[in-house]
Amino acid sequence: MMLKSDCLVKAEKEPILSSFLYASVLSHDCLERALSFVLANRLEDPTLLATQLIDIFNDVMMNDVDIRRSIRLDAQAFKGRDPSCAQYSWALLYLKGYHSLQSYRIAHVLWNQGRKVLALALQSRISEVFAVDIHPAAKIGEGILLDHGTGLVIGETAVVGNWVSLMQGVTLGGTGKEHGDRHPKIGQGALLGAGATILGNITVGEGAMIAAGSLVLKHVPPHSMAVGNPAKVVGYTEKEDPSLTMKHDARRDYFEHVASSFPDGRSNGEFYRYYL
């Protein structure tokens, strides 16, 4: 109801968008059907027609309790953690991070149903449209924020826990052509900064924070902060999960603590310049 009333107000303020808002939201009786319409019209191509995709997406979402819960918790994550997402309708209608995440969720259900060719076709189309490449076999929890989304890559055996926030350009990849379980496992409440690359079957612990641009090749303890290439643990996060606070910067005392024991005797000022 809140979503519809918000769109009614928008349609009155911007009459040029009234047809779009009616077709996308106001004509539907639930969030699932509205989301199916939005995603189908973003992902359609000459061989995957919007009408066909709407039927597939509706069937998946209306018959899967988990995905119905996840699409709502994800919307809460976007509104609660992204200051540029002022209303739930913005996530539904305009944010490709939300669109790509929900499209992945549908492909994941299809993959688990044995409809792997269709799931892979959706993965390919999601990558083309949103510049987000998530293998449909990957396991992703609920309450997830894909902020911007562009350049995000998540491999086949990766696992992402609940309430994780991932910035643009994050890679959860393998280290070669080995088979089997070969991708990272991200603990609940972790925050992965822009351009962070995490490779191999390693674990990023609950509530950990990976700084932007870091290359992670080893396990990261829970509630710790890893920085650099290759990444090293430089301190520990506050009690609240960084994925919820969205704090990407370390406190000064993190660096003072590490700099005081830095082996080559560099001063604190040199340490800040080296890492920042």
Side-chain angles (χ1 to χ4, degrees):
M1 186 65 68
M2 182 185 300
L3 196 65
K4 282 194 170 184
S5 60
D6 176 50
C7 288
L8 278 171
V9 172
K10 286 183 172 59
E12 292 175 0
K13 289 184 177 180
E14 292 289 354
I16 195 171
L17 293 177
S18 58
S19 295
F20 165 71
L21 293 169
Y22 179 81
S24 301
V25 177
L26 298 174
S27 63
H28 303 288
D29 59 3
C30 64
L31 175 60
E32 288 80 6
R33 296 190 188 280
L35 182 57
S36 292
F37 180 90
V38 171
L39 296 182
N41 281 276
R42 293 297 305 273
L43 294 172
E44 70 169 337
D45 70 11
T47 59
L48 286 172
L49 303 181
T51 51
Q52 296 172 312
L53 292 175
I54 288 172
D55 289 341
I56 294 168
F57 295 173
N58 275 335
D59 182 64
V60 168
M61 285 195 280
M62 298 304 291
N63 291 290
D64 190 296
V65 174
D66 291 336
I67 199 170
R68 296 177 73 176
R69 172 184 167 91
S70 293
I71 64 175
R72 288 166 170 80
L73 292 176
D74 293 341
Q76 289 179 359
F78 274 76
K79 185 175 182 297
R81 293 179 229 161
D82 182 356
S84 69
C85 182
Q87 298 172 348
Y88 291 111
S89 62
W90 293 13
L92 172 64
L93 295 172
Y94 310 120
L95 299 187
K96 73 172 187 176
Y98 185 77
H99 294 165
S100 59
L101 179 59
Q102 307 320 320
S103 302
Y104 147 77
R105 294 196 184 284
I106 293 168
H108 181 68
V109 171
L110 294 171
W111 180 273
N112 289 335
Q113 291 176 348
R115 304 177 71 180
K116 295 185 176 182
V117 173
L118 179 56
L120 291 171
L122 279 178
Q123 177 198 0
S124 176
R125 188 64 183 147
I126 293 164
S127 179
E128 291 174 6
V129 174
F130 302 125
V132 172
D133 194 354
I134 306 175
H135 195 284
K139 298 177 181 177
I140 299 179
E142 58 192 20
I144 303 297
L145 171 64
L146 301 188
D147 199 358
H148 302 291
T150 303
L152 180 80
V153 176
I154 299 179
E156 179 183 10
T157 61
V159 178
V160 178
N162 297 333
W163 313 113
V164 172
S165 294
L166 304 94
M167 304 302 290
Q168 68 272 17
V170 167
T171 296
L172 306 181
T175 56
K177 61 179 182 179
E178 70 273 13
H179 296 277
D181 196 355
R182 61 195 184 279
H183 294 103
K185 312 296 180 283
I186 310 301
Q188 177 172 304
L191 170 60
L192 308 185
T197 299
I198 305 168
L199 300 179
N201 187 13
I202 60 175
T203 298
V204 173
E206 291 188 10
M209 198 274 271
I210 308 300
S214 297
L215 172 63
V216 182
L217 301 173
K218 297 180 180 180
H219 298 295
V220 176
H223 303 288
S224 64
M225 177 179 177
V227 178
N229 183 357
K232 297 179 181 179
V233 173
V234 299
Y236 292 88
T237 60
E238 302 288 353
K239 291 181 180 179
E240 189 173 3
D241 288 336
S243 68
L244 303 182
T245 65
M246 295 298 287
K247 285 184 63 176
H248 292 261
D249 58 328
R251 299 193 315 271
R252 185 179 181 87
D253 58 315
Y254 288 172
F255 295 102
E256 290 176 345
H257 169 72
V258 178
S260 66
S261 58
F262 209 66
D264 64 3
R266 275 194 290 243
S267 68
N268 285 353
E270 288 173 327
F271 186 84
Y272 298 139
R273 288 193 295 273
Y274 180 77
Y275 271 94
L276 300 177

